[in-house]
């Protein structure tokens, strides 16, 4: 049976947006500590906007929201970054008073008002999975490879229903597609995002024989700030 979700908003991920994220650690560094104007110039050159839906974030030229562990995401090989292409407001079956009054819909509307974003209200976990499937196709197209591993789990850093995580690796980074906790106002919302994080955040990808929890821990180590 479908699991209800109060609201889902999203903008389809594209192979071009994925390629831009993957390339960010390798572009010439732009150090905001040395030259604030250089960060601003690079932002303008790329057609990015400042965005406040996620703390210290950008809205890229492809219309998604990018946040980096380093304020400047350009040429930062050691910094984690994530690209948000969806946001969902889960139903909490155990807390009617706080979470099921749709009192965060105003925050969801902020996402829905971004250019090119579309809202589904109410939604289900199947709607969320459809968004992730489309995004996985964009990542596969950009990287020329299917995901190495997949995991359907609620035991990572996200809230709400169990959704699929997919894992790719480049020589230096883990690319993890799936849900992650928003950690914004009240901490009840969930991003649908593509993370680009250094492989050094955790030991090597555990073998399939290690079980789901080992993979969930590996994903959490890369995506939980």
């Amino acid at each position: 049976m479908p699991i209800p979700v109060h609201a889902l908003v999203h903008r389809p991920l594209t192979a071009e947006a994925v390629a831009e994220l993957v390339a960010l650690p390798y572009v010439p560094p732009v150090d905001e500590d040395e030259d604030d104007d250089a960060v601003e110039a690079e932002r303008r050159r790329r057609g990015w906007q400042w965005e406040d839906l996620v703390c210290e974030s950008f809205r890229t030229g492809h219309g998604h929201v990018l946040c980096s562990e380093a304020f400047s995401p350009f040429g930062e090989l050691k910094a984690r970054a994530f690209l948000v292409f969806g946001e969902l407001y889960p139903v909490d079956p155990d807390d009617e008073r706080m979470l099921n009054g749709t009192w965060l819909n105003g925050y969801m509307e902020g996402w829905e008002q971004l250019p090119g974003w579309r809202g589904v209200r109410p939604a289900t976990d199947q709607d969320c999975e459809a968004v992730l499937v489309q995004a996985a196709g964009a990542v596969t197209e950009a990287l020329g490879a299917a995901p190495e591993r997949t995991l359907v789990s609620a035991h990572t850093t996200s809230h709400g229903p169990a959704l699929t995580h997919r894992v790719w690796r480049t020589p230096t980074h883990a690319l993890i597609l799936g849900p992650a906790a928003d950690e914004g106002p009240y901490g009840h919302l969930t991003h649908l995002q593509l993370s680009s994080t250094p492989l050094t955040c955790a030991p090597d990808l555990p073998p399939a024989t290690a079980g789901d929890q080992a993979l969930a821990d590996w994903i959490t180590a890369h995506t939980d700030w």
Side-chain angles (χ1 to χ4, degrees), residues 21 54 65-67 80-84 191 193-196 225:
L21 177 68
V54 181
V65 175
L66 182 136
C67 188
R80 312 180 206 207
F82 61 84
L83 190 67
V84 181
H191 296 317
Q193 67 180 39
L194 177 63
S195 299
S196 174
W225 295 11

Side-chain angles (χ1 to χ4, degrees), residues 5-125:
V5 172
H6 287 306
L8 165 70
V9 293
H10 68 99
R11 179 182 175 111
L13 196 61
T14 63
E16 293 78 14
V18 174
E20 181 178 51
L21 177 68
V22 172
L24 281 179
Y26 308 104
V27 302
V30 179
D31 188 345
E32 78 278 6
D33 292 331
E34 296 181 2
D35 188 354
D36 289 345
D37 291 340
V39 176
E40 180 67 10
E42 182 65 13
R43 177 192 71 78
R44 291 179 179 276
R45 187 187 72 80
R46 290 174 176 266
W48 290 13
Q49 304 292 325
W50 297 108
E51 185 55 69
D52 61 4
L53 285 168
V54 181
C55 183
E56 294 185 341
S57 64
F58 301 92
R59 179 157 32 96
T60 73
H62 300 286
H64 307 107
V65 175
L66 182 136
C67 188
S68 174
E69 200 170 31
F71 174 70
S72 169
F74 311 116
E76 289 287 347
L77 278 167
K78 297 181 180 180
R80 312 180 206 207
F82 61 84
L83 190 67
V84 181
F85 55 88
E87 189 81 359
L88 67 101
Y89 178 6
V91 170
D92 186 332
D94 300 319
D95 193 349
E96 278 289 336
R97 184 178 65 86
M98 288 298 291
L99 298 185
N100 292 330
T102 63
W103 54 290
L104 284 174
N105 273 336
Y107 189 68
M108 292 295 293
E109 288 166 3
W111 286 92
E112 194 170 2
Q113 290 166 7
L114 294 178
W117 286 61
R118 183 176 71 88
V120 182
R121 188 183 288 108
T124 70
D125 61 328

